[in-house]
Amino acid sequence: MTFAEPVPPITAGRIDTPLGPMLALVDAAGALVGLDFEGSDGTPTFSQRRLAREGLQTGPADPALIRPVAEQLAEYFAGRRRVFDLPLAPFGTPFQRRVWAALCAIPCGTAMTYRDMALRLDRPQAARAVGAANGANPISVIVPCHRLVGSDGTLTAYGGGLHRKAALLELEGARPPGLSAAG
């Protein structure tokens, strides 16, 4: 998986899902820049904060650019899609992008530990760095950061909330019996 560089302007659109509303950020070329679960308090999402740090603003929603994201998410939540084929353009460092590409290679229905991901990247001592890159993933669900779990099988941090991480793993059939949420 390769990632393009975002092409301004960035359009924002809300997508309703069974796990709550998500905000999709799509660039002028139609590539997904960010996808986050919205908070109930109206604070900016992770991706909106990242765009602000990059000095970019979101423009008015363009339904034609948001539609492919919404359609593929609907198929995923209905159990009819296991692989996404959207163009992606997240802001990130080379290492973060490498981790995110490796996340996209984890098959749907599979969970992996941070340590195993570090080994897969030939960086056996980098489990914490993998965790940090995973936590900086701006494209929830489609770049499946929810598929990484703690070395003891516990669910660990997820920007959308551990309840959503558990639900996503269960939807994919990847939540092993006894998998628990870490406090």
Side-chain angles (χ1 to χ4, degrees), residues 81-132:
R81 176 174 291 275
R82 294 180 67 83
V83 176
F84 293 95
D85 61 1
L86 297 164
L88 305 176
F91 287 103
T93 68
F95 180 74
Q96 287 171 332
R97 287 173 172 234
R98 187 170 172 222
V99 170
W100 301 336
L103 289 171
C104 291
I106 300 172
C108 187
T110 305
M112 175 182 283
T113 67
Y114 294 93
R115 181 180 181 280
D116 289 339
M117 177 59 75
L119 291 170
R120 179 179 277 192
L121 295 169
D122 294 322
R123 301 274 307 267
Q125 303 302 314
R128 288 182 188 266
V130 165

Side-chain angles (χ1 to χ4, degrees), residues 18 24 38 43 47 49 53 67 83 85 103 151 166 171-173 175:
E38 291 183 323
T43 59
S47 294
R49 291 190 307 272
R53 282 195 307 274
R67 187 174 300 111
V83 176
D85 61 1
L103 289 171
S151 60
L171 173 71
E172 296 178 358
R175 189 167 189 223

